[in-house]
Amino acid sequence: AEAESTEETTEEQPSENAEATAVNKQMQFKEAVRIRAERSADSERLANAYAKELVKVIENYSDGWSKVEYNGVTGYCKTEYLEDAQ
């Protein structure tokens, strides 16, 4: 892993023009997932969530990420790890 830097890089950055779709519903995680500070797998990890835990999904983005609220933390996870709550 490279040293962390505050410089913006062009790779793996959130797509600024990604379309956001409002969801605003309870869903659950399919498997353990990390909640990130930004829509990037390299961004700061805010929380760890586990399979079948409930999460409030705020928005889905066209770049494959979702904005979620989990245990009072608002962050991002990959949309593919979310499913309708049982």
Side-chain angles (χ1 to χ4, degrees):
E2 295 175 21
E4 300 234 350
S5 116
T6 54
E7 294 295 310
E8 290 288 326
T9 59
T10 50
E11 55 184 324
E12 285 299 314
Q13 283 300 310
S15 168
E16 291 304 321
N17 52 7
E19 293 284 313
T21 306
V23 180
N24 290 318
K25 71 172 182 176
Q26 287 281 116
M27 295 185 75
Q28 69 183 26
F29 295 110
K30 292 180 186 176
E31 56 189 82
V33 67
R34 295 180 178 98
I35 309 298
R36 300 283 181 182
E38 296 171 54
R39 298 196 315 276
S40 166
D42 297 327
S43 74
E44 179 190 358
R45 187 169 71 208
L46 300 179
N48 286 332
Y50 299 93
K52 305 301 180 193
E53 284 194 305
L54 293 176
V55 59
K56 181 182 181 189
V57 182
I58 300 167
E59 289 175 324
N60 286 342
Y61 291 85
S62 59
D63 59 3
W65 290 82
S66 290
K67 185 176 188 177
V68 298
E69 188 178 297
Y70 171 76
N71 279 356
V73 172
T74 300
Y76 300 88
C77 72
K78 286 281 200 175
T79 307
E80 66 201 59
Y81 295 126
L82 298 166
E83 64 185 2
D84 289 327
Q86 303 300 314

